[in-house]
Amino acid sequence: MKKALLSFFTIMLMAACTGGQESPFSYRGLSFDMPASALIDSMQARGFVVDSAASDSGRTVVFAKQAEHYRVLVGIQGDKVQTIQENYRLSTNDSTRMLWQQLRDGFEKELGAWPDCPMLKDDHKVANFDATNGFISVILENTHTPTLTVRYLPKDKE
C-alpha cells in the first residue's frame, strides 16, 4: 500500500512539474494577459493618473504619478495590452547613466540572465533582456535632453 501511494504521489508531482504553464509576462506584477481595462484600473489603484492630453483615443494610455520620475505609456489594441514603456526624465546625463546601470543590474539579477548590449557608449546605451515570454529593453540616450526608456514587449504566442 505504501509503495502504491508513493508511486501515485510521484506521478502527480511529475505531472504538476511538467504540465504547468509558463507564468505570464508581467509589468511590475501586472500580467500582460489581463484585459487592458483591468490594467488601467490597477495602475489607477496604484496612484497613477491618466494623462488624457497625451493619451491617444484608446490606442495609447499615458500615466503619470507625481511621486515618480517617469511616465508610463501603455500600447493597446482592442482590449489587449501590446507594449508598456516607462519614460524617465532626469536633469543630468550623470543621473541617467547611473539609473540606467541600476535598472540594468536589477533586471539582470531578477531575470538571472545577462543582457544583450548592442550599444555601450557613454551617452548611448542599450541593454536587451530576453525574459521567458517577453523582452525588456533599457535604453539610454543622452543628447541635449537626457532620456531613459524601459520597454516591455511580450513575445507573440502563435
Side-chain angles (χ1 to χ4, degrees), residues 31-48:
S31 171
F32 271 72
D33 289 347
M34 68 183 356
S37 56
L39 185 127
I40 291 168
D41 291 343
S42 297
M43 291 293 288
Q44 289 175 327
R46 292 178 177 195
F48 284 87

PDB file of all heavy atoms in Angstrom, residues 31-48:
ATOM      1  N   SER A  31       0.034  41.381 -15.144  1.00  0.00           N
ATOM      2  CA  SER A  31       0.191  40.490 -16.282  1.00  0.00           C
ATOM      3  C   SER A  31      -0.246  41.140 -17.589  1.00  0.00           C
ATOM      4  O   SER A  31      -1.242  41.857 -17.647  1.00  0.00           O
ATOM      5  CB  SER A  31      -0.633  39.226 -16.061  1.00  0.00           C
ATOM      6  OG  SER A  31      -0.660  38.434 -17.214  1.00  0.00           O
ATOM      7  N   PHE A  32       0.515  40.871 -18.654  1.00  0.00           N
ATOM      8  CA  PHE A  32       0.134  41.327 -19.990  1.00  0.00           C
ATOM      9  C   PHE A  32      -1.093  40.561 -20.488  1.00  0.00           C
ATOM     10  O   PHE A  32      -1.719  40.967 -21.450  1.00  0.00           O
ATOM     11  CB  PHE A  32       1.292  41.135 -20.970  1.00  0.00           C
ATOM     12  CG  PHE A  32       2.232  42.305 -21.036  1.00  0.00           C
ATOM     13  CD1 PHE A  32       3.094  42.571 -19.997  1.00  0.00           C
ATOM     14  CD2 PHE A  32       2.249  43.136 -22.144  1.00  0.00           C
ATOM     15  CE1 PHE A  32       3.965  43.643 -20.049  1.00  0.00           C
ATOM     16  CE2 PHE A  32       3.114  44.217 -22.209  1.00  0.00           C
ATOM     17  CZ  PHE A  32       3.970  44.473 -21.153  1.00  0.00           C
ATOM     18  N   ASP A  33      -1.417  39.448 -19.847  1.00  0.00           N
ATOM     19  CA  ASP A  33      -2.583  38.659 -20.246  1.00  0.00           C
ATOM     20  C   ASP A  33      -3.892  39.270 -19.762  1.00  0.00           C
ATOM     21  O   ASP A  33      -4.956  38.905 -20.242  1.00  0.00           O
ATOM     22  CB  ASP A  33      -2.467  37.227 -19.715  1.00  0.00           C
ATOM     23  CG  ASP A  33      -1.397  36.433 -20.434  1.00  0.00           C
ATOM     24  OD1 ASP A  33      -0.912  36.891 -21.496  1.00  0.00           O
ATOM     25  OD2 ASP A  33      -1.027  35.353 -19.937  1.00  0.00           O
ATOM     26  N   MET A  34      -3.826  40.193 -18.806  1.00  0.00           N
ATOM     27  CA  MET A  34      -5.069  40.781 -18.299  1.00  0.00           C
ATOM     28  C   MET A  34      -5.632  41.768 -19.327  1.00  0.00           C
ATOM     29  O   MET A  34      -4.880  42.319 -20.130  1.00  0.00           O
ATOM     30  CB  MET A  34      -4.839  41.463 -16.941  1.00  0.00           C
ATOM     31  CG  MET A  34      -3.984  42.704 -16.982  1.00  0.00           C
ATOM     32  SD  MET A  34      -3.590  43.548 -15.397  1.00  0.00           S
ATOM     33  CE  MET A  34      -4.444  42.712 -14.180  1.00  0.00           C
ATOM     34  N   PRO A  35      -6.941  41.974 -19.327  1.00  0.00           N
ATOM     35  CA  PRO A  35      -7.532  42.949 -20.250  1.00  0.00           C
ATOM     36  C   PRO A  35      -6.962  44.343 -19.980  1.00  0.00           C
ATOM     37  O   PRO A  35      -6.612  44.680 -18.841  1.00  0.00           O
ATOM     38  CB  PRO A  35      -9.025  42.906 -19.921  1.00  0.00           C
ATOM     39  CG  PRO A  35      -9.233  41.616 -19.201  1.00  0.00           C
ATOM     40  CD  PRO A  35      -7.940  41.290 -18.524  1.00  0.00           C
ATOM     41  N   ALA A  36      -6.884  45.149 -21.012  1.00  0.00           N
ATOM     42  CA  ALA A  36      -6.325  46.494 -20.875  1.00  0.00           C
ATOM     43  C   ALA A  36      -7.097  47.311 -19.847  1.00  0.00           C
ATOM     44  O   ALA A  36      -6.502  48.072 -19.077  1.00  0.00           O
ATOM     45  CB  ALA A  36      -6.324  47.192 -22.228  1.00  0.00           C
ATOM     46  N   SER A  37      -8.405  47.157 -19.827  1.00  0.00           N
ATOM     47  CA  SER A  37      -9.214  47.917 -18.862  1.00  0.00           C
ATOM     48  C   SER A  37      -8.847  47.549 -17.424  1.00  0.00           C
ATOM     49  O   SER A  37      -8.802  48.420 -16.557  1.00  0.00           O
ATOM     50  CB  SER A  37     -10.703  47.678 -19.111  1.00  0.00           C
ATOM     51  OG  SER A  37     -10.997  46.295 -19.074  1.00  0.00           O
ATOM     52  N   ALA A  38      -8.536  46.278 -17.178  1.00  0.00           N
ATOM     53  CA  ALA A  38      -8.130  45.843 -15.832  1.00  0.00           C
ATOM     54  C   ALA A  38      -6.748  46.395 -15.483  1.00  0.00           C
ATOM     55  O   ALA A  38      -6.502  46.799 -14.344  1.00  0.00           O
ATOM     56  CB  ALA A  38      -8.126  44.323 -15.737  1.00  0.00           C
ATOM     57  N   LEU A  39      -5.839  46.445 -16.458  1.00  0.00           N
ATOM     58  CA  LEU A  39      -4.517  47.004 -16.220  1.00  0.00           C
ATOM     59  C   LEU A  39      -4.631  48.500 -15.908  1.00  0.00           C
ATOM     60  O   LEU A  39      -3.974  49.001 -14.998  1.00  0.00           O
ATOM     61  CB  LEU A  39      -3.602  46.786 -17.418  1.00  0.00           C
ATOM     62  CG  LEU A  39      -2.165  47.241 -17.165  1.00  0.00           C
ATOM     63  CD1 LEU A  39      -1.195  46.119 -17.473  1.00  0.00           C
ATOM     64  CD2 LEU A  39      -1.823  48.448 -17.986  1.00  0.00           C
ATOM     65  N   ILE A  40      -5.470  49.203 -16.645  1.00  0.00           N
ATOM     66  CA  ILE A  40      -5.674  50.634 -16.400  1.00  0.00           C
ATOM     67  C   ILE A  40      -6.227  50.847 -14.999  1.00  0.00           C
ATOM     68  O   ILE A  40      -5.746  51.707 -14.253  1.00  0.00           O
ATOM     69  CB  ILE A  40      -6.594  51.240 -17.475  1.00  0.00           C
ATOM     70  CG1 ILE A  40      -5.865  51.266 -18.816  1.00  0.00           C
ATOM     71  CG2 ILE A  40      -7.070  52.640 -17.083  1.00  0.00           C
ATOM     72  CD1 ILE A  40      -6.748  51.570 -20.004  1.00  0.00           C
ATOM     73  N   ASP A  41      -7.214  50.049 -14.594  1.00  0.00           N
ATOM     74  CA  ASP A  41      -7.772  50.152 -13.245  1.00  0.00           C
ATOM     75  C   ASP A  41      -6.708  49.867 -12.190  1.00  0.00           C
ATOM     76  O   ASP A  41      -6.646  50.542 -11.163  1.00  0.00           O
ATOM     77  CB  ASP A  41      -8.945  49.186 -13.068  1.00  0.00           C
ATOM     78  CG  ASP A  41     -10.163  49.584 -13.895  1.00  0.00           C
ATOM     79  OD1 ASP A  41     -10.231  50.757 -14.342  1.00  0.00           O
ATOM     80  OD2 ASP A  41     -11.041  48.722 -14.094  1.00  0.00           O
ATOM     81  N   SER A  42      -5.852  48.872 -12.440  1.00  0.00           N
ATOM     82  CA  SER A  42      -4.795  48.522 -11.492  1.00  0.00           C
ATOM     83  C   SER A  42      -3.771  49.648 -11.371  1.00  0.00           C
ATOM     84  O   SER A  42      -3.294  49.945 -10.276  1.00  0.00           O
ATOM     85  CB  SER A  42      -4.094  47.234 -11.924  1.00  0.00           C
ATOM     86  OG  SER A  42      -4.988  46.155 -11.919  1.00  0.00           O
ATOM     87  N   MET A  43      -3.417  50.273 -12.489  1.00  0.00           N
ATOM     88  CA  MET A  43      -2.475  51.397 -12.448  1.00  0.00           C
ATOM     89  C   MET A  43      -3.073  52.567 -11.671  1.00  0.00           C
ATOM     90  O   MET A  43      -2.390  53.214 -10.883  1.00  0.00           O
ATOM     91  CB  MET A  43      -2.090  51.827 -13.866  1.00  0.00           C
ATOM     92  CG  MET A  43      -1.242  50.832 -14.627  1.00  0.00           C
ATOM     93  SD  MET A  43       0.413  50.591 -13.951  1.00  0.00           S
ATOM     94  CE  MET A  43       1.190  52.141 -14.387  1.00  0.00           C
ATOM     95  N   GLN A  44      -4.355  52.824 -11.878  1.00  0.00           N
ATOM     96  CA  GLN A  44      -5.003  53.904 -11.151  1.00  0.00           C
ATOM     97  C   GLN A  44      -5.084  53.588  -9.663  1.00  0.00           C
ATOM     98  O   GLN A  44      -4.929  54.473  -8.831  1.00  0.00           O
ATOM     99  CB  GLN A  44      -6.383  54.189 -11.736  1.00  0.00           C
ATOM    100  CG  GLN A  44      -6.298  54.843 -13.104  1.00  0.00           C
ATOM    101  CD  GLN A  44      -7.644  55.040 -13.768  1.00  0.00           C
ATOM    102  OE1 GLN A  44      -8.561  54.239 -13.597  1.00  0.00           O
ATOM    103  NE2 GLN A  44      -7.754  56.098 -14.552  1.00  0.00           N
ATOM    104  N   ALA A  45      -5.290  52.324  -9.323  1.00  0.00           N
ATOM    105  CA  ALA A  45      -5.313  51.926  -7.919  1.00  0.00           C
ATOM    106  C   ALA A  45      -3.941  52.113  -7.268  1.00  0.00           C
ATOM    107  O   ALA A  45      -3.842  52.308  -6.054  1.00  0.00           O
ATOM    108  CB  ALA A  45      -5.758  50.467  -7.785  1.00  0.00           C
ATOM    109  N   ARG A  46      -2.879  52.092  -8.063  1.00  0.00           N
ATOM    110  CA  ARG A  46      -1.522  52.313  -7.561  1.00  0.00           C
ATOM    111  C   ARG A  46      -1.174  53.798  -7.474  1.00  0.00           C
ATOM    112  O   ARG A  46      -0.050  54.156  -7.179  1.00  0.00           O
ATOM    113  CB  ARG A  46      -0.508  51.600  -8.451  1.00  0.00           C
ATOM    114  CG  ARG A  46      -0.611  50.091  -8.371  1.00  0.00           C
ATOM    115  CD  ARG A  46       0.373  49.433  -9.297  1.00  0.00           C
ATOM    116  NE  ARG A  46       0.295  47.982  -9.148  1.00  0.00           N
ATOM    117  CZ  ARG A  46       1.194  47.150  -9.601  1.00  0.00           C
ATOM    118  NH1 ARG A  46       2.249  47.597 -10.245  1.00  0.00           N
ATOM    119  NH2 ARG A  46       1.056  45.859  -9.414  1.00  0.00           N
ATOM    120  N   GLY A  47      -2.109  54.647  -7.797  1.00  0.00           N
ATOM    121  CA  GLY A  47      -1.897  56.086  -7.673  1.00  0.00           C
ATOM    122  C   GLY A  47      -1.509  56.793  -8.948  1.00  0.00           C
ATOM    123  O   GLY A  47      -1.246  57.999  -8.931  1.00  0.00           O
ATOM    124  N   PHE A  48      -1.484  56.089 -10.072  1.00  0.00           N
ATOM    125  CA  PHE A  48      -1.169  56.724 -11.349  1.00  0.00           C
ATOM    126  C   PHE A  48      -2.440  57.365 -11.917  1.00  0.00           C
ATOM    127  O   PHE A  48      -3.532  56.851 -11.751  1.00  0.00           O
ATOM    128  CB  PHE A  48      -0.613  55.703 -12.349  1.00  0.00           C
ATOM    129  CG  PHE A  48       0.808  55.319 -12.081  1.00  0.00           C
ATOM    130  CD1 PHE A  48       1.109  54.291 -11.212  1.00  0.00           C
ATOM    131  CD2 PHE A  48       1.849  55.995 -12.703  1.00  0.00           C
ATOM    132  CE1 PHE A  48       2.421  53.937 -10.957  1.00  0.00           C
ATOM    133  CE2 PHE A  48       3.167  55.642 -12.459  1.00  0.00           C
ATOM    134  CZ  PHE A  48       3.454  54.618 -11.581  1.00  0.00           C
TER     135      PHE A  48
END
